[in-house]
């Protein structure tokens, strides 16, 4: 079966750094996506990785290791507005997205 | 209006009712999706339309019936639903699903409660 695992909930302090991990087992791989979803709102696209390595975009970075079936999202200089759920999704051999259940990130002052 | 819009935002219906959810995208995309989002569960893909043809339905119960009259509009017709169908229903759109770095743009969702 296909499976995406990520922690259910994480807590971090404003101004700090947090790493959200995602491991996957899918039938084929055609890229990995990270989305942010604030409570009661639509998911919004954050990043896309298809090759191994780190992609940096401002305060957010995403890393991929295809051989390990592993990715992480790194958030730096945390702000209160970063409190949200972070969804990991893998595009499989049929080009459909397989989603994780999301990691709820709580930022404390 | 820009992006992906959905109506209604909230819907309460009885198990014998018939209702429809509407989605409209203003992004010029050629693929549209219906997802179901339940608390603490992954997004469940229900239907995919590419160039107005359905390409995926993921064994969704027949009480959910999609309709895609053109590339900008998507409907989800609901009838004789069950309480376990209560969830957030999200619509999304994208360019060609097999394209490089395509991302899906989501609407705000319809919060459905079946009583």
């Amino acid at each position: 079966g296909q499976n995406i695992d990520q922690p259910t909930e994480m807590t971090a302090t404003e101004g700090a750094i947090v790493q959200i991990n995602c491991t996957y087992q899918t039938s084929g791989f055609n890229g990995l996506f990270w989305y942010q979803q604030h409570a009661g709102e639509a998911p919004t696209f954050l990043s896309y990785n298809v090759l191994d390595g780190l992609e940096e975009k401002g305060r957010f970075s995403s890393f991929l290791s295809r051989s390990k079936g592993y990715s992480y999202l790194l958030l730096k200089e945390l702000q209160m507005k970063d409190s949200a759920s972070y969804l990991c999704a893998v595009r499989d051999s049929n080009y459909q997205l397989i989603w994780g259940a999301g990691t709820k990130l709580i930022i404390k002052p | 209006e820009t992006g992906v819009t959905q109506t209604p935002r909230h819907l309460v219906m009885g198990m014998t009712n018939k209702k429809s959810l509407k989605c409209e995208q203003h992004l010029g995309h050629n693929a549209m999706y219906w997802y179901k989002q339940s608390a603490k569960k992954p997004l469940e893909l229900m239907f995919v339309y590419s160039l107005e043809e359905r390409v995926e339905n993921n064994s969704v119960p027949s009480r959910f019936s999609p309709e895609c009259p053109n590339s900008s509009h998507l409907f989800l017709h609901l009838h004789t639903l069950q309480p376990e169908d209560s969830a957030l229903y999200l619509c999304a759109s994208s360019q060609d699903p097999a394209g490089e770095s395509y991302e899906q743009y989501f609407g705000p969702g319809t919060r459905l409660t079946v009583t």
Side-chain angles (χ1 to χ4, degrees):
Chain A
Q2 307 203 90
N3 195 51
I4 310 285
D5 285 318
Q6 48 181 135
T8 303
E9 186 174 299
M10 299 181 70
T11 301
T13 304
E14 190 177 15
I17 299 173
V18 71
Q19 177 175 310
I20 302 174
N21 296 324
C22 171
T23 58
Y24 62 89
Q25 291 177 309
T26 56
S27 55
F29 178 86
N30 284 296
L32 184 144
F33 297 78
W34 284 97
Y35 282 77
Q36 180 190 61
Q37 186 177 23
H38 286 101
E41 298 183 12
T44 55
F45 170 77
L46 286 178
S47 68
Y48 170 76
N49 295 71
V50 67
L51 300 176
D52 290 351
L54 188 68
E55 294 283 341
E56 297 186 79
K57 192 184 292 186
R59 293 189 299 115
F60 293 5
S61 303
S62 56
F63 171 83
L64 174 67
S65 170
R66 289 172 296 172
S67 62
K68 295 182 180 179
Y70 168 70
S71 172
Y72 67 72
L73 181 69
L74 190 71
L75 292 75
K76 303 177 184 177
E77 302 169 13
L78 287 170
Q79 301 175 10
M80 297 304 293
K81 67 179 183 180
D82 297 328
S83 292
S85 289
Y86 291 85
L87 312 180
C88 174
V90 172
R91 190 163 55 169
D92 69 8
S93 56
N94 294 320
Y95 291 92
Q96 298 302 329
L97 287 183
I98 310 301
W99 295 83
T103 299
K104 183 179 180 180
L105 178 63
I106 299 169
I107 309 297
K108 295 185 175 180
Chain B
E1 203 163 3
T2 60
V4 182
T5 59
Q6 289 185 244
T7 55
R9 294 293 308 276
H10 300 273
L11 177 63
V12 179
M13 59 186 288
M15 289 189 285
T16 59
N17 291 158
K18 290 184 180 180
K19 296 287 184 182
S20 295
L21 309 185
K22 179 183 176 181
C23 175
E24 185 173 358
Q25 60 98 359
H26 308 268
L27 300 168
H29 290 160
N30 54 25
M32 297 187 76
Y33 311 78
W34 278 117
Y35 285 95
K36 176 183 179 182
Q37 187 175 37
S38 302
K40 302 188 187 302
K41 290 185 177 180
L43 283 170
E44 299 174 44
L45 178 63
M46 301 177 71
F47 300 104
V48 179
Y49 277 85
S50 180
L51 297 173
E52 302 160 41
E53 289 190 11
R54 188 162 76 187
V55 296
E56 186 72 44
N57 72 353
N58 283 302
S59 302
V60 177
S62 60
R63 56 185 184 270
F64 295 92
S65 176
E67 179 188 0
C68 187
N70 55 60
S71 60
S72 298
H73 294 85
L74 186 64
F75 295 89
L76 188 63
H77 304 299
L78 316 172
H79 64 96
T80 60
L81 294 190
Q82 305 298 310
E84 59 264 29
D85 297 324
S86 297
L88 181 68
Y89 288 84
L90 290 164
C91 174
S93 71
S94 75
Q95 293 291 8
D96 178 7
E100 182 64 26
S101 186
Y102 94 103
E103 62 257 34
Q104 295 183 8
Y105 292 78
F106 286 83
T110 295
R111 174 66 63 186
L112 173 67
T113 303
V114 181
T115 60

PDB file of all heavy atoms in Angstrom, chain A residues 30-48:
ATOM      1  N   ASN A  30       7.055  10.879  -8.433  1.00  0.00           N
ATOM      2  CA  ASN A  30       7.162  11.955  -9.422  1.00  0.00           C
ATOM      3  C   ASN A  30       7.109  13.312  -8.737  1.00  0.00           C
ATOM      4  O   ASN A  30       6.483  14.250  -9.225  1.00  0.00           O
ATOM      5  CB  ASN A  30       6.051  11.835 -10.464  1.00  0.00           C
ATOM      6  CG  ASN A  30       6.316  10.739 -11.473  1.00  0.00           C
ATOM      7  OD1 ASN A  30       7.274  10.794 -12.230  1.00  0.00           O
ATOM      8  ND2 ASN A  30       5.476   9.725 -11.464  1.00  0.00           N
ATOM      9  N   GLY A  31       7.743  13.395  -7.576  1.00  0.00           N
ATOM     10  CA  GLY A  31       7.848  14.672  -6.899  1.00  0.00           C
ATOM     11  C   GLY A  31       7.161  14.673  -5.549  1.00  0.00           C
ATOM     12  O   GLY A  31       6.240  13.900  -5.293  1.00  0.00           O
ATOM     13  N   LEU A  32       7.633  15.543  -4.666  1.00  0.00           N
ATOM     14  CA  LEU A  32       7.077  15.678  -3.316  1.00  0.00           C
ATOM     15  C   LEU A  32       6.738  17.134  -3.062  1.00  0.00           C
ATOM     16  O   LEU A  32       7.510  18.031  -3.405  1.00  0.00           O
ATOM     17  CB  LEU A  32       8.078  15.162  -2.282  1.00  0.00           C
ATOM     18  CG  LEU A  32       7.605  15.135  -0.822  1.00  0.00           C
ATOM     19  CD1 LEU A  32       8.185  13.913  -0.093  1.00  0.00           C
ATOM     20  CD2 LEU A  32       7.947  16.408  -0.091  1.00  0.00           C
ATOM     21  N   PHE A  33       5.592  17.356  -2.469  1.00  0.00           N
ATOM     22  CA  PHE A  33       5.071  18.707  -2.237  1.00  0.00           C
ATOM     23  C   PHE A  33       4.865  18.938  -0.739  1.00  0.00           C
ATOM     24  O   PHE A  33       4.514  18.018   0.002  1.00  0.00           O
ATOM     25  CB  PHE A  33       3.703  18.882  -2.923  1.00  0.00           C
ATOM     26  CG  PHE A  33       3.736  18.767  -4.417  1.00  0.00           C
ATOM     27  CD1 PHE A  33       3.800  17.521  -5.027  1.00  0.00           C
ATOM     28  CD2 PHE A  33       3.687  19.894  -5.208  1.00  0.00           C
ATOM     29  CE1 PHE A  33       3.812  17.411  -6.410  1.00  0.00           C
ATOM     30  CE2 PHE A  33       3.699  19.784  -6.593  1.00  0.00           C
ATOM     31  CZ  PHE A  33       3.758  18.541  -7.191  1.00  0.00           C
ATOM     32  N   TRP A  34       5.054  20.174  -0.333  1.00  0.00           N
ATOM     33  CA  TRP A  34       4.657  20.623   0.998  1.00  0.00           C
ATOM     34  C   TRP A  34       3.628  21.740   0.847  1.00  0.00           C
ATOM     35  O   TRP A  34       3.799  22.657   0.041  1.00  0.00           O
ATOM     36  CB  TRP A  34       5.850  21.149   1.788  1.00  0.00           C
ATOM     37  CG  TRP A  34       6.756  20.078   2.319  1.00  0.00           C
ATOM     38  CD1 TRP A  34       7.906  19.612   1.763  1.00  0.00           C
ATOM     39  CD2 TRP A  34       6.589  19.362   3.550  1.00  0.00           C
ATOM     40  NE1 TRP A  34       8.466  18.640   2.559  1.00  0.00           N
ATOM     41  CE2 TRP A  34       7.673  18.464   3.664  1.00  0.00           C
ATOM     42  CE3 TRP A  34       5.629  19.386   4.567  1.00  0.00           C
ATOM     43  CZ2 TRP A  34       7.824  17.601   4.758  1.00  0.00           C
ATOM     44  CZ3 TRP A  34       5.777  18.534   5.653  1.00  0.00           C
ATOM     45  CH2 TRP A  34       6.868  17.652   5.741  1.00  0.00           C
ATOM     46  N   TYR A  35       2.563  21.623   1.653  1.00  0.00           N
ATOM     47  CA  TYR A  35       1.510  22.633   1.683  1.00  0.00           C
ATOM     48  C   TYR A  35       1.322  23.104   3.121  1.00  0.00           C
ATOM     49  O   TYR A  35       1.541  22.355   4.077  1.00  0.00           O
ATOM     50  CB  TYR A  35       0.172  22.060   1.189  1.00  0.00           C
ATOM     51  CG  TYR A  35       0.049  21.935  -0.310  1.00  0.00           C
ATOM     52  CD1 TYR A  35       0.677  20.898  -0.996  1.00  0.00           C
ATOM     53  CD2 TYR A  35      -0.702  22.847  -1.033  1.00  0.00           C
ATOM     54  CE1 TYR A  35       0.549  20.776  -2.376  1.00  0.00           C
ATOM     55  CE2 TYR A  35      -0.837  22.730  -2.416  1.00  0.00           C
ATOM     56  CZ  TYR A  35      -0.206  21.693  -3.064  1.00  0.00           C
ATOM     57  OH  TYR A  35      -0.339  21.580  -4.431  1.00  0.00           O
ATOM     58  N   GLN A  36       0.876  24.354   3.257  1.00  0.00           N
ATOM     59  CA  GLN A  36       0.535  24.921   4.556  1.00  0.00           C
ATOM     60  C   GLN A  36      -0.979  25.115   4.610  1.00  0.00           C
ATOM     61  O   GLN A  36      -1.584  25.567   3.623  1.00  0.00           O
ATOM     62  CB  GLN A  36       1.229  26.277   4.739  1.00  0.00           C
ATOM     63  CG  GLN A  36       0.935  26.969   6.059  1.00  0.00           C
ATOM     64  CD  GLN A  36       1.461  28.402   6.057  1.00  0.00           C
ATOM     65  OE1 GLN A  36       1.055  29.230   5.243  1.00  0.00           O
ATOM     66  NE2 GLN A  36       2.370  28.703   6.969  1.00  0.00           N
ATOM     67  N   GLN A  37      -1.582  24.763   5.735  1.00  0.00           N
ATOM     68  CA  GLN A  37      -3.024  24.957   5.880  1.00  0.00           C
ATOM     69  C   GLN A  37      -3.332  25.569   7.245  1.00  0.00           C
ATOM     70  O   GLN A  37      -3.184  24.912   8.276  1.00  0.00           O
ATOM     71  CB  GLN A  37      -3.783  23.647   5.720  1.00  0.00           C
ATOM     72  CG  GLN A  37      -5.306  23.832   5.717  1.00  0.00           C
ATOM     73  CD  GLN A  37      -6.060  22.528   5.472  1.00  0.00           C
ATOM     74  OE1 GLN A  37      -5.546  21.440   5.707  1.00  0.00           O
ATOM     75  NE2 GLN A  37      -7.292  22.643   4.977  1.00  0.00           N
ATOM     76  N   HIS A  38      -3.755  26.833   7.243  1.00  0.00           N
ATOM     77  CA  HIS A  38      -4.226  27.450   8.476  1.00  0.00           C
ATOM     78  C   HIS A  38      -5.619  26.936   8.785  1.00  0.00           C
ATOM     79  O   HIS A  38      -6.371  26.566   7.876  1.00  0.00           O
ATOM     80  CB  HIS A  38      -4.230  28.979   8.352  1.00  0.00           C
ATOM     81  CG  HIS A  38      -2.864  29.584   8.399  1.00  0.00           C
ATOM     82  ND1 HIS A  38      -2.177  29.990   7.281  1.00  0.00           N
ATOM     83  CD2 HIS A  38      -2.042  29.839   9.456  1.00  0.00           C
ATOM     84  CE1 HIS A  38      -1.003  30.475   7.637  1.00  0.00           C
ATOM     85  NE2 HIS A  38      -0.889  30.396   8.946  1.00  0.00           N
ATOM     86  N   ALA A  39      -5.942  26.916  10.056  1.00  0.00           N
ATOM     87  CA  ALA A  39      -7.228  26.398  10.511  1.00  0.00           C
ATOM     88  C   ALA A  39      -8.379  27.079   9.780  1.00  0.00           C
ATOM     89  O   ALA A  39      -8.443  28.312   9.730  1.00  0.00           O
ATOM     90  CB  ALA A  39      -7.367  26.586  12.014  1.00  0.00           C
ATOM     91  N   GLY A  40      -9.259  26.292   9.212  1.00  0.00           N
ATOM     92  CA  GLY A  40     -10.423  26.828   8.529  1.00  0.00           C
ATOM     93  C   GLY A  40     -10.151  27.404   7.149  1.00  0.00           C
ATOM     94  O   GLY A  40     -11.043  28.013   6.553  1.00  0.00           O
ATOM     95  N   GLU A  41      -8.936  27.219   6.661  1.00  0.00           N
ATOM     96  CA  GLU A  41      -8.588  27.782   5.357  1.00  0.00           C
ATOM     97  C   GLU A  41      -8.137  26.696   4.381  1.00  0.00           C
ATOM     98  O   GLU A  41      -7.957  25.537   4.753  1.00  0.00           O
ATOM     99  CB  GLU A  41      -7.495  28.835   5.508  1.00  0.00           C
ATOM    100  CG  GLU A  41      -7.925  30.021   6.359  1.00  0.00           C
ATOM    101  CD  GLU A  41      -6.847  31.103   6.428  1.00  0.00           C
ATOM    102  OE1 GLU A  41      -5.872  31.033   5.650  1.00  0.00           O
ATOM    103  OE2 GLU A  41      -6.995  32.007   7.267  1.00  0.00           O
ATOM    104  N   ALA A  42      -7.942  27.090   3.128  1.00  0.00           N
ATOM    105  CA  ALA A  42      -7.482  26.151   2.107  1.00  0.00           C
ATOM    106  C   ALA A  42      -5.985  25.887   2.235  1.00  0.00           C
ATOM    107  O   ALA A  42      -5.229  26.755   2.659  1.00  0.00           O
ATOM    108  CB  ALA A  42      -7.777  26.733   0.720  1.00  0.00           C
ATOM    109  N   PRO A  43      -5.528  24.703   1.856  1.00  0.00           N
ATOM    110  CA  PRO A  43      -4.076  24.459   1.777  1.00  0.00           C
ATOM    111  C   PRO A  43      -3.452  25.359   0.713  1.00  0.00           C
ATOM    112  O   PRO A  43      -4.053  25.594  -0.341  1.00  0.00           O
ATOM    113  CB  PRO A  43      -3.994  22.985   1.357  1.00  0.00           C
ATOM    114  CG  PRO A  43      -5.317  22.385   1.691  1.00  0.00           C
ATOM    115  CD  PRO A  43      -6.314  23.499   1.519  1.00  0.00           C
ATOM    116  N   THR A  44      -2.249  25.845   0.997  1.00  0.00           N
ATOM    117  CA  THR A  44      -1.529  26.651   0.023  1.00  0.00           C
ATOM    118  C   THR A  44      -0.158  26.038  -0.217  1.00  0.00           C
ATOM    119  O   THR A  44       0.485  25.552   0.720  1.00  0.00           O
ATOM    120  CB  THR A  44      -1.378  28.115   0.478  1.00  0.00           C
ATOM    121  OG1 THR A  44      -0.752  28.137   1.754  1.00  0.00           O
ATOM    122  CG2 THR A  44      -2.723  28.795   0.562  1.00  0.00           C
ATOM    123  N   PHE A  45       0.301  26.079  -1.451  1.00  0.00           N
ATOM    124  CA  PHE A  45       1.543  25.454  -1.871  1.00  0.00           C
ATOM    125  C   PHE A  45       2.745  26.152  -1.247  1.00  0.00           C
ATOM    126  O   PHE A  45       2.835  27.378  -1.216  1.00  0.00           O
ATOM    127  CB  PHE A  45       1.624  25.528  -3.393  1.00  0.00           C
ATOM    128  CG  PHE A  45       2.958  25.143  -3.971  1.00  0.00           C
ATOM    129  CD1 PHE A  45       3.328  23.819  -4.057  1.00  0.00           C
ATOM    130  CD2 PHE A  45       3.830  26.110  -4.436  1.00  0.00           C
ATOM    131  CE1 PHE A  45       4.553  23.455  -4.595  1.00  0.00           C
ATOM    132  CE2 PHE A  45       5.052  25.766  -4.978  1.00  0.00           C
ATOM    133  CZ  PHE A  45       5.422  24.438  -5.063  1.00  0.00           C
ATOM    134  N   LEU A  46       3.694  25.347  -0.731  1.00  0.00           N
ATOM    135  CA  LEU A  46       4.927  25.884  -0.175  1.00  0.00           C
ATOM    136  C   LEU A  46       6.139  25.527  -1.023  1.00  0.00           C
ATOM    137  O   LEU A  46       6.963  26.387  -1.327  1.00  0.00           O
ATOM    138  CB  LEU A  46       5.163  25.339   1.242  1.00  0.00           C
ATOM    139  CG  LEU A  46       4.313  25.890   2.372  1.00  0.00           C
ATOM    140  CD1 LEU A  46       4.681  25.188   3.680  1.00  0.00           C
ATOM    141  CD2 LEU A  46       4.491  27.397   2.514  1.00  0.00           C
ATOM    142  N   SER A  47       6.283  24.220  -1.358  1.00  0.00           N
ATOM    143  CA  SER A  47       7.508  23.811  -2.030  1.00  0.00           C
ATOM    144  C   SER A  47       7.305  22.513  -2.794  1.00  0.00           C
ATOM    145  O   SER A  47       6.365  21.767  -2.542  1.00  0.00           O
ATOM    146  CB  SER A  47       8.646  23.634  -1.024  1.00  0.00           C
ATOM    147  OG  SER A  47       8.383  22.514  -0.199  1.00  0.00           O
ATOM    148  N   TYR A  48       8.254  22.290  -3.713  1.00  0.00           N
ATOM    149  CA  TYR A  48       8.244  21.093  -4.556  1.00  0.00           C
ATOM    150  C   TYR A  48       9.675  20.594  -4.692  1.00  0.00           C
ATOM    151  O   TYR A  48      10.591  21.377  -4.979  1.00  0.00           O
ATOM    152  CB  TYR A  48       7.674  21.437  -5.926  1.00  0.00           C
ATOM    153  CG  TYR A  48       7.813  20.367  -6.977  1.00  0.00           C
ATOM    154  CD1 TYR A  48       6.984  19.254  -6.969  1.00  0.00           C
ATOM    155  CD2 TYR A  48       8.754  20.481  -8.000  1.00  0.00           C
ATOM    156  CE1 TYR A  48       7.088  18.280  -7.942  1.00  0.00           C
ATOM    157  CE2 TYR A  48       8.863  19.506  -8.981  1.00  0.00           C
ATOM    158  CZ  TYR A  48       8.023  18.407  -8.955  1.00  0.00           C
ATOM    159  OH  TYR A  48       8.122  17.447  -9.916  1.00  0.00           O
TER     160      TYR A  48
END
